Amino acid sequence: MLQDTSFAIHPGHDQQSRPMIYKDIGALITKEQSGNRHQFTCENGFVSTVFYTDTIVRVVMNPNDTPSLTGSRAVITETVDVAVTEEESDTELILKTSRLALHITKTPFRVTVKDAEGYELVGEGERGMSFQANGVVAAFKTMHPADHFYGFGEKTGHLDKRGESYEMWNSDVYAPHNPETDPLYESIPYFMTLREGRAHGVFFDNTFRTTFDMKSSEEMYTFSAEGGQLDYYIFAGPDPKSVLEQYTYLTGRIPLPSKWSLGYHQSRYSYETEEEVRALAQQFVEKDIPVDVIHLDIHYMDGYRVFTFDKERFPNPEKLIADLRDMGIRVVPIVDPGVKKDSEYAVYQEGVREDHFCKYIEGDIYFGEVWPGISAFPDFTDEKVRSWWGDQHAFYTDIGVEGIWNDMNEPAVFNETKTMDVTVMHGNDGRPTTHRELHNVYGLLMGEATYEGMKKQLNGKRPFLLTRAGYAGVQRYASVWTGDNRSFWEHLQMSLPMVMNLGLSGVAFTGPDVGGFAHDTNAELLTRWTQVGAFTPFFRNHSAIGFRYQEPWQFGEKYEQIIKKYIQMRYQWLPQLYSLFYEASVTGLPVMRPLLMEFPHDEKTYNLNDQFMIGDNVMIAPIMQPSVTDRAVYMPEGTWVELATGEVYEGGMTHLVHAELEDLPIFVKQGTAFMQGDWTSNVDKQPQNVTLHVVPGQPGDTYQMVYYDDDGETFAYETGVYMRLDIEVRTTEDGVDVRVLSKQGAFTPAYKAIKVATVGQNPVKHVMINGSVSNEPVIDL
Ligand code: MIG
């Protein structure tokens, strides 16, 4: 029939396969300047450059209009006054700060970013800023033979991303998580390049679906987006740590977490009744296995309606929460964004009446199917909705909840596309636009709503938020777990580079489901995974419905004892970990680090996937294969002491290290020190004794560290109620010399002194504390 109508000669018929052509920005025509901002009009579009600091520059290209510099959901920092000098010739323009130089050629318009010494960071050559008629914007950048790429948030595969390409589109991916599975739940369009020991960073602040291609060419890498502006920031470095400090200066750092959130978390999809939760808690107490948090997955709700409890399964949640709290355990319930379409359900009623749900442009609410059935989705892109949603959490905080777990916030929807219709219109705080543009920030803004709401309700206590989806800046509100992995050894292995790259992307508080979520775990895997989990920033055992239960005691006495030992070890290390979390909250540096962060000049570390650092001096080399009790460990520069055996290893080479199932190889660099506390009981998490363990090195070795402590749960530290010790440890001819260089803050811990002990086989005749020798050395507080 169609042949008979004009449809037969529809103009779009042959358009599908037409290749899209990139249009180059073309030659520079005119330029203007106002303050930190330079504005360029080119043949085919417009470019702005803005210096944020002397080490951060923003470049924005808009094909159609003068670039807009507002509206970012990731960036929280304004520009500062930066001294910029300008040199111009017929062919070139150079804009320079003390640390960065933009070399701009005029015909064609190309921007190459160098450091002050003229070393190229991000270069453009034959191709530069480009776009397509369909709205795609793209940057083509020179790839150097020695470039290695890191970051990109939550990605599978190895640490070094050279030779890979990635997409950013928050996606609910149940279980596969193969090396090629991409994208996952988080979109962090940021990476760091490491080239011969020197590092710089690039943040592509575009919330559309973006692509990063370090694979298709050896000469060039590209990043592109389906729409919006080509809007990116370059961070000068010059080393991995300064790059991350610069990136997190722009997008924010983690809030200092409560101590309890750094303890062990037990979860299951789901502990289905109050009795089950009580019995679970009781088991931990009886077995004397420390646990700080039990998570409640979706079964606690009444028909999966958020902000409700199922009255049969959980008849008295307030009492449950209070009783668990007396046992030293907090309850963290899950909250999904989908609100059940049910005209008798208060949250839905209010959402409709007050216009809080995402809608099509024509005014109809968008409905999608998730756990509760047909559901509406709050429009977190509007402040009024964020504050409404935040307020709803009084439902939980009123009965003693201090932490929330956000799931399904990509948002995940049970349909072909796995998410909301991209034509849905968001309010976006007065700048309405489609879900296609804002999809990747939905989870971030739900996190903001939840965190800020809880913070208001908790009377000065620190909220804990765990999220699955996010965008750059998510670290300001939430810790991130890496979603639905499986109980495979391969997933244990892959979790290390994934968590390390998240850390390099500003998200310091992360971890995978220990033991694996889907699939049946087994005794050995759970044991080895718990050893790693004891040192990942977020430490939660979680498993899926229909698969084996995997609490610490599920595989018999032998395994239970080993698992218990490592959960306890987590608590012994808490003083050290807490100090590192403090550092992360101040500098953005992750707690768990790839070796390249500490040894950026050592190329052997550039793609070292199966070892990691805790801070700058502790290295962990876990066993992540079945039946294996020996492994190769690469020791970077220095001399390393294995904690359990006292064995000393020379750096700059690989050693074979033995580790039975009960052993986790932990090495500390000689000439450094670390802090541990006595683990006491489940209820009282404040350490009674804290010990500074000094690992003597060569005479003259000096090491500086920060020890931080406070009440662990309130914001009192913001008004000075904390204790920060800057400690220097020096190895002398016949001993060690420990000095407190400074003590700050008004917090007085329960322990009155810090013991000082030495580790390893170097004979130590005496320990000096602040200049005097002592037989029982302590740092008095
Ligand atoms: O796909 O709430 O990633 O941790 O247990 C099911 C049930 C939805 C996905 C989460 C998982 C959680 C599960 N959720």
Side-chain angles (χ1 to χ4, degrees), residues 172 174 185 268-270 297-298 334 336 371 405 407-408 414 468 481 483-484 513 517 540 542-544:
D172 172 17
Y174 172 66
Y185 317 88
R268 167 90 186 167
Y269 169 26
S270 302
D297 209 323
I298 52 176
I334 196 167
D336 293 351
W371 297 120
W405 167 19
D407 186 22
M408 305 290 277
F414 303 151
R468 194 169 72 174
W481 99 100
D484 298 345
D513 285 344
F517 177 66
R540 183 183 73 156
H542 181 50
S543 62

mmCIF file of all heavy atoms in Angstrom, residues 172 174 185 268-270 297-298 334 336 371 405 407-408 414 468 481 483-484 513 517 540 542-544, ligand 1:
data_model
loop_
_atom_site.group_PDB
_atom_site.id
_atom_site.type_symbol
_atom_site.label_atom_id
_atom_site.label_comp_id
_atom_site.label_asym_id
_atom_site.label_seq_id
_atom_site.Cartn_x
_atom_site.Cartn_y
_atom_site.Cartn_z
ATOM 1 N N ASP A 172 22.549 0.029 34.382
ATOM 2 C CA ASP A 172 22.354 -1.091 35.297
ATOM 3 C C ASP A 172 22.746 -2.363 34.550
ATOM 4 O O ASP A 172 22.060 -2.770 33.617
ATOM 5 C CB ASP A 172 20.874 -1.135 35.704
ATOM 6 C CG ASP A 172 20.525 -2.375 36.509
ATOM 7 O OD1 ASP A 172 21.444 -3.031 37.029
ATOM 8 O OD2 ASP A 172 19.321 -2.680 36.623
ATOM 9 N N TYR A 174 23.410 -6.168 35.179
ATOM 10 C CA TYR A 174 23.377 -7.262 36.136
ATOM 11 C C TYR A 174 24.440 -8.293 35.762
ATOM 12 O O TYR A 174 24.383 -8.911 34.699
ATOM 13 C CB TYR A 174 21.991 -7.915 36.171
ATOM 14 C CG TYR A 174 21.979 -9.167 37.015
ATOM 15 C CD1 TYR A 174 22.183 -9.091 38.397
ATOM 16 C CD2 TYR A 174 21.803 -10.415 36.438
ATOM 17 C CE1 TYR A 174 22.192 -10.224 39.170
ATOM 18 C CE2 TYR A 174 21.808 -11.555 37.222
ATOM 19 C CZ TYR A 174 22.004 -11.457 38.583
ATOM 20 O OH TYR A 174 22.023 -12.582 39.340
ATOM 21 N N TYR A 185 27.645 1.592 35.997
ATOM 22 C CA TYR A 185 26.700 2.482 36.704
ATOM 23 C C TYR A 185 27.137 3.940 36.830
ATOM 24 O O TYR A 185 26.307 4.824 36.984
ATOM 25 C CB TYR A 185 26.459 1.940 38.111
ATOM 26 C CG TYR A 185 26.282 0.444 38.160
ATOM 27 C CD1 TYR A 185 27.379 -0.400 38.292
ATOM 28 C CD2 TYR A 185 25.019 -0.131 38.044
ATOM 29 C CE1 TYR A 185 27.217 -1.777 38.330
ATOM 30 C CE2 TYR A 185 24.865 -1.504 38.081
ATOM 31 C CZ TYR A 185 25.965 -2.334 38.228
ATOM 32 O OH TYR A 185 25.822 -3.688 38.260
ATOM 33 N N ARG A 268 22.779 -8.577 52.352
ATOM 34 C CA ARG A 268 22.245 -9.719 51.618
ATOM 35 C C ARG A 268 20.983 -9.225 50.947
ATOM 36 O O ARG A 268 20.217 -8.461 51.549
ATOM 37 C CB ARG A 268 21.909 -10.856 52.584
ATOM 38 C CG ARG A 268 21.063 -11.984 52.011
ATOM 39 C CD ARG A 268 21.903 -13.072 51.416
ATOM 40 N NE ARG A 268 21.073 -14.077 50.747
ATOM 41 C CZ ARG A 268 21.571 -15.001 49.929
ATOM 42 N NH1 ARG A 268 22.878 -15.090 49.713
ATOM 43 N NH2 ARG A 268 20.773 -15.866 49.338
ATOM 44 N N TYR A 269 20.783 -9.668 49.738
ATOM 45 C CA TYR A 269 19.530 -9.397 49.033
ATOM 46 C C TYR A 269 18.674 -10.635 49.183
ATOM 47 O O TYR A 269 18.810 -11.558 48.425
ATOM 48 C CB TYR A 269 19.843 -9.077 47.580
ATOM 49 C CG TYR A 269 18.675 -9.019 46.622
ATOM 50 C CD1 TYR A 269 17.375 -8.716 47.038
ATOM 51 C CD2 TYR A 269 18.889 -9.278 45.269
ATOM 52 C CE1 TYR A 269 16.342 -8.670 46.121
ATOM 53 C CE2 TYR A 269 17.841 -9.233 44.354
ATOM 54 C CZ TYR A 269 16.580 -8.936 44.795
ATOM 55 O OH TYR A 269 15.550 -8.898 43.891
ATOM 56 N N SER A 270 17.865 -10.641 50.247
ATOM 57 C CA SER A 270 17.705 -9.707 51.357
ATOM 58 C C SER A 270 17.682 -10.486 52.669
ATOM 59 O O SER A 270 17.352 -11.663 52.674
ATOM 60 C CB SER A 270 16.357 -8.978 51.292
ATOM 61 O OG SER A 270 16.165 -8.259 50.107
ATOM 62 N N ASP A 297 17.960 -4.730 52.376
ATOM 63 C CA ASP A 297 17.659 -4.652 50.947
ATOM 64 C C ASP A 297 16.132 -4.596 50.766
ATOM 65 O O ASP A 297 15.377 -4.555 51.734
ATOM 66 C CB ASP A 297 18.313 -5.838 50.220
ATOM 67 C CG ASP A 297 18.679 -5.517 48.775
ATOM 68 O OD1 ASP A 297 17.919 -4.790 48.113
ATOM 69 O OD2 ASP A 297 19.711 -6.019 48.291
ATOM 70 N N ILE A 298 15.678 -4.623 49.529
ATOM 71 C CA ILE A 298 14.304 -4.219 49.196
ATOM 72 C C ILE A 298 13.163 -4.940 49.924
ATOM 73 O O ILE A 298 12.059 -4.429 49.956
ATOM 74 C CB ILE A 298 14.053 -4.309 47.677
ATOM 75 C CG1 ILE A 298 14.438 -5.678 47.126
ATOM 76 C CG2 ILE A 298 14.823 -3.221 46.965
ATOM 77 C CD1 ILE A 298 14.115 -5.862 45.640
ATOM 78 N N ILE A 334 17.935 0.345 52.063
ATOM 79 C CA ILE A 334 18.054 0.703 50.654
ATOM 80 C C ILE A 334 16.912 1.655 50.287
ATOM 81 O O ILE A 334 15.797 1.535 50.811
ATOM 82 C CB ILE A 334 18.004 -0.579 49.783
ATOM 83 C CG1 ILE A 334 18.509 -0.329 48.358
ATOM 84 C CG2 ILE A 334 16.599 -1.169 49.730
ATOM 85 C CD1 ILE A 334 18.763 -1.605 47.562
ATOM 86 N N ASP A 336 15.397 3.243 46.600
ATOM 87 C CA ASP A 336 15.455 3.364 45.143
ATOM 88 C C ASP A 336 14.676 4.615 44.723
ATOM 89 O O ASP A 336 13.804 5.077 45.455
ATOM 90 C CB ASP A 336 14.798 2.136 44.481
ATOM 91 C CG ASP A 336 15.582 0.854 44.712
ATOM 92 O OD1 ASP A 336 16.706 0.915 45.231
ATOM 93 O OD2 ASP A 336 15.057 -0.226 44.369
ATOM 94 N N TRP A 371 10.933 -2.329 40.726
ATOM 95 C CA TRP A 371 10.459 -3.303 41.728
ATOM 96 C C TRP A 371 9.010 -3.114 42.156
ATOM 97 O O TRP A 371 8.265 -4.087 42.242
ATOM 98 C CB TRP A 371 11.368 -3.295 42.963
ATOM 99 C CG TRP A 371 12.748 -3.715 42.606
ATOM 100 C CD1 TRP A 371 13.882 -2.987 42.751
ATOM 101 C CD2 TRP A 371 13.142 -4.947 41.989
ATOM 102 N NE1 TRP A 371 14.963 -3.677 42.263
ATOM 103 C CE2 TRP A 371 14.538 -4.886 41.792
ATOM 104 C CE3 TRP A 371 12.463 -6.091 41.580
ATOM 105 C CZ2 TRP A 371 15.262 -5.916 41.215
ATOM 106 C CZ3 TRP A 371 13.186 -7.121 40.994
ATOM 107 C CH2 TRP A 371 14.555 -7.022 40.826
ATOM 108 N N TRP A 405 21.266 3.625 51.528
ATOM 109 C CA TRP A 405 21.871 2.956 50.390
ATOM 110 C C TRP A 405 20.989 3.250 49.162
ATOM 111 O O TRP A 405 19.832 2.848 49.134
ATOM 112 C CB TRP A 405 21.927 1.458 50.711
ATOM 113 C CG TRP A 405 22.223 0.517 49.607
ATOM 114 C CD1 TRP A 405 22.793 0.771 48.403
ATOM 115 C CD2 TRP A 405 21.960 -0.897 49.625
ATOM 116 N NE1 TRP A 405 22.914 -0.386 47.668
ATOM 117 C CE2 TRP A 405 22.415 -1.420 48.390
ATOM 118 C CE3 TRP A 405 21.400 -1.772 50.572
ATOM 119 C CZ2 TRP A 405 22.305 -2.776 48.064
ATOM 120 C CZ3 TRP A 405 21.299 -3.120 50.253
ATOM 121 C CH2 TRP A 405 21.752 -3.611 49.016
ATOM 122 N N ASP A 407 20.133 2.667 45.343
ATOM 123 C CA ASP A 407 20.319 1.682 44.267
ATOM 124 C C ASP A 407 19.444 2.111 43.083
ATOM 125 O O ASP A 407 18.580 2.981 43.211
ATOM 126 C CB ASP A 407 19.887 0.312 44.798
ATOM 127 C CG ASP A 407 20.174 -0.828 43.824
ATOM 128 O OD1 ASP A 407 21.058 -0.671 42.948
ATOM 129 O OD2 ASP A 407 19.509 -1.883 43.945
ATOM 130 N N MET A 408 19.655 1.517 41.930
ATOM 131 C CA MET A 408 18.779 1.690 40.766
ATOM 132 C C MET A 408 18.695 3.145 40.302
ATOM 133 O O MET A 408 17.774 3.532 39.587
ATOM 134 C CB MET A 408 17.351 1.189 41.085
ATOM 135 C CG MET A 408 17.273 -0.241 41.578
ATOM 136 S SD MET A 408 17.630 -1.466 40.308
ATOM 137 C CE MET A 408 16.039 -1.590 39.505
ATOM 138 N N PHE A 414 12.968 -1.345 33.967
ATOM 139 C CA PHE A 414 12.868 -2.650 33.293
ATOM 140 C C PHE A 414 12.251 -2.476 31.909
ATOM 141 O O PHE A 414 11.053 -2.642 31.723
ATOM 142 C CB PHE A 414 12.012 -3.619 34.111
ATOM 143 C CG PHE A 414 12.510 -3.832 35.514
ATOM 144 C CD1 PHE A 414 11.622 -4.153 36.537
ATOM 145 C CD2 PHE A 414 13.861 -3.724 35.816
ATOM 146 C CE1 PHE A 414 12.077 -4.354 37.833
ATOM 147 C CE2 PHE A 414 14.327 -3.925 37.114
ATOM 148 C CZ PHE A 414 13.425 -4.239 38.131
ATOM 149 N N ARG A 468 24.969 3.620 43.847
ATOM 150 C CA ARG A 468 25.430 2.819 42.714
ATOM 151 C C ARG A 468 25.768 3.706 41.526
ATOM 152 O O ARG A 468 26.778 3.517 40.867
ATOM 153 C CB ARG A 468 24.360 1.788 42.320
ATOM 154 C CG ARG A 468 24.920 0.726 41.401
ATOM 155 C CD ARG A 468 23.982 -0.433 41.213
ATOM 156 N NE ARG A 468 22.827 -0.096 40.391
ATOM 157 C CZ ARG A 468 21.909 -0.991 39.996
ATOM 158 N NH1 ARG A 468 22.012 -2.259 40.377
ATOM 159 N NH2 ARG A 468 20.885 -0.620 39.266
ATOM 160 N N TRP A 481 29.664 1.604 45.715
ATOM 161 C CA TRP A 481 30.070 0.197 45.562
ATOM 162 C C TRP A 481 29.908 -0.145 44.087
ATOM 163 O O TRP A 481 29.173 0.530 43.361
ATOM 164 C CB TRP A 481 29.285 -0.702 46.500
ATOM 165 C CG TRP A 481 28.115 -1.428 45.900
ATOM 166 C CD1 TRP A 481 28.076 -2.736 45.493
ATOM 167 C CD2 TRP A 481 26.803 -0.891 45.651
ATOM 168 N NE1 TRP A 481 26.827 -3.035 45.024
ATOM 169 C CE2 TRP A 481 26.030 -1.931 45.095
ATOM 170 C CE3 TRP A 481 26.214 0.372 45.827
ATOM 171 C CZ2 TRP A 481 24.702 -1.754 44.722
ATOM 172 C CZ3 TRP A 481 24.897 0.552 45.449
ATOM 173 C CH2 TRP A 481 24.156 -0.504 44.908
ATOM 174 N N GLY A 483 28.598 -2.396 42.236
ATOM 175 C CA GLY A 483 27.455 -3.026 41.586
ATOM 176 C C GLY A 483 27.530 -4.548 41.545
ATOM 177 O O GLY A 483 28.236 -5.182 42.323
ATOM 178 N N ASP A 484 26.788 -5.092 40.599
ATOM 179 C CA ASP A 484 26.525 -6.534 40.601
ATOM 180 C C ASP A 484 27.638 -7.352 39.967
ATOM 181 O O ASP A 484 27.521 -7.838 38.839
ATOM 182 C CB ASP A 484 25.203 -6.810 39.893
ATOM 183 C CG ASP A 484 24.032 -6.155 40.615
ATOM 184 O OD1 ASP A 484 24.209 -5.742 41.775
ATOM 185 O OD2 ASP A 484 22.952 -6.060 40.017
ATOM 186 N N ASP A 513 31.325 -5.740 46.136
ATOM 187 C CA ASP A 513 30.654 -6.690 47.018
ATOM 188 C C ASP A 513 31.639 -7.813 47.348
ATOM 189 O O ASP A 513 32.023 -8.599 46.470
ATOM 190 C CB ASP A 513 29.420 -7.286 46.326
ATOM 191 C CG ASP A 513 28.257 -6.304 46.281
ATOM 192 O OD1 ASP A 513 28.279 -5.301 47.020
ATOM 193 O OD2 ASP A 513 27.313 -6.555 45.497
ATOM 194 N N PHE A 517 28.511 -10.867 44.342
ATOM 195 C CA PHE A 517 27.060 -10.697 44.493
ATOM 196 C C PHE A 517 26.312 -11.893 43.897
ATOM 197 O O PHE A 517 25.760 -12.717 44.615
ATOM 198 C CB PHE A 517 26.646 -9.383 43.810
ATOM 199 C CG PHE A 517 25.180 -9.100 43.822
ATOM 200 C CD1 PHE A 517 24.508 -8.850 45.011
ATOM 201 C CD2 PHE A 517 24.448 -9.056 42.635
ATOM 202 C CE1 PHE A 517 23.134 -8.574 45.027
ATOM 203 C CE2 PHE A 517 23.075 -8.777 42.641
ATOM 204 C CZ PHE A 517 22.421 -8.543 43.835
ATOM 205 N N ARG A 540 32.169 -4.247 52.409
ATOM 206 C CA ARG A 540 30.845 -4.841 52.595
ATOM 207 C C ARG A 540 30.736 -6.184 51.896
ATOM 208 O O ARG A 540 31.017 -6.312 50.710
ATOM 209 C CB ARG A 540 29.753 -3.914 52.049
ATOM 210 C CG ARG A 540 28.340 -4.466 52.302
ATOM 211 C CD ARG A 540 27.249 -3.584 51.710
ATOM 212 N NE ARG A 540 27.191 -3.693 50.261
ATOM 213 C CZ ARG A 540 26.106 -3.422 49.530
ATOM 214 N NH1 ARG A 540 24.998 -3.011 50.138
ATOM 215 N NH2 ARG A 540 26.131 -3.537 48.218
ATOM 216 N N HIS A 542 28.209 -8.753 50.428
ATOM 217 C CA HIS A 542 26.828 -8.681 49.927
ATOM 218 C C HIS A 542 26.618 -9.792 48.909
ATOM 219 O O HIS A 542 27.497 -10.075 48.107
ATOM 220 C CB HIS A 542 26.604 -7.315 49.269
ATOM 221 C CG HIS A 542 25.210 -7.094 48.731
ATOM 222 N ND1 HIS A 542 24.070 -7.322 49.465
ATOM 223 C CD2 HIS A 542 24.781 -6.630 47.526
ATOM 224 C CE1 HIS A 542 22.996 -7.024 48.736
ATOM 225 N NE2 HIS A 542 23.398 -6.604 47.553
ATOM 226 N N SER A 543 25.444 -10.428 48.967
ATOM 227 C CA SER A 543 25.179 -11.514 48.012
ATOM 228 C C SER A 543 23.727 -11.480 47.565
ATOM 229 O O SER A 543 22.876 -10.887 48.222
ATOM 230 C CB SER A 543 25.505 -12.861 48.647
ATOM 231 O OG SER A 543 24.675 -13.073 49.770
ATOM 232 N N ALA A 544 23.469 -12.142 46.455
ATOM 233 C CA ALA A 544 22.163 -12.024 45.798
ATOM 234 C C ALA A 544 21.208 -13.142 46.187
ATOM 235 O O ALA A 544 21.617 -14.254 46.550
ATOM 236 C CB ALA A 544 22.341 -12.005 44.284
HETATM 237 O O1 MIG B 1 18.931 -5.860 40.434
HETATM 238 O O2 MIG B 1 17.883 -4.442 45.581
HETATM 239 O O3 MIG B 1 23.025 -3.777 42.640
HETATM 240 O O4 MIG B 1 23.091 -4.746 45.264
HETATM 241 O O5 MIG B 1 20.904 -6.253 46.117
HETATM 242 C C1 MIG B 1 18.327 -5.912 41.664
HETATM 243 C C2 MIG B 1 18.280 -5.636 45.024
HETATM 244 C C3 MIG B 1 18.350 -4.580 42.384
HETATM 245 C C4 MIG B 1 20.719 -4.291 42.488
HETATM 246 C C5 MIG B 1 21.855 -3.963 43.384
HETATM 247 C C6 MIG B 1 22.020 -5.047 44.405
HETATM 248 C C7 MIG B 1 20.753 -5.190 45.202
HETATM 249 C C8 MIG B 1 19.588 -5.502 44.269
HETATM 250 N N1 MIG B 1 19.484 -4.455 43.257
#
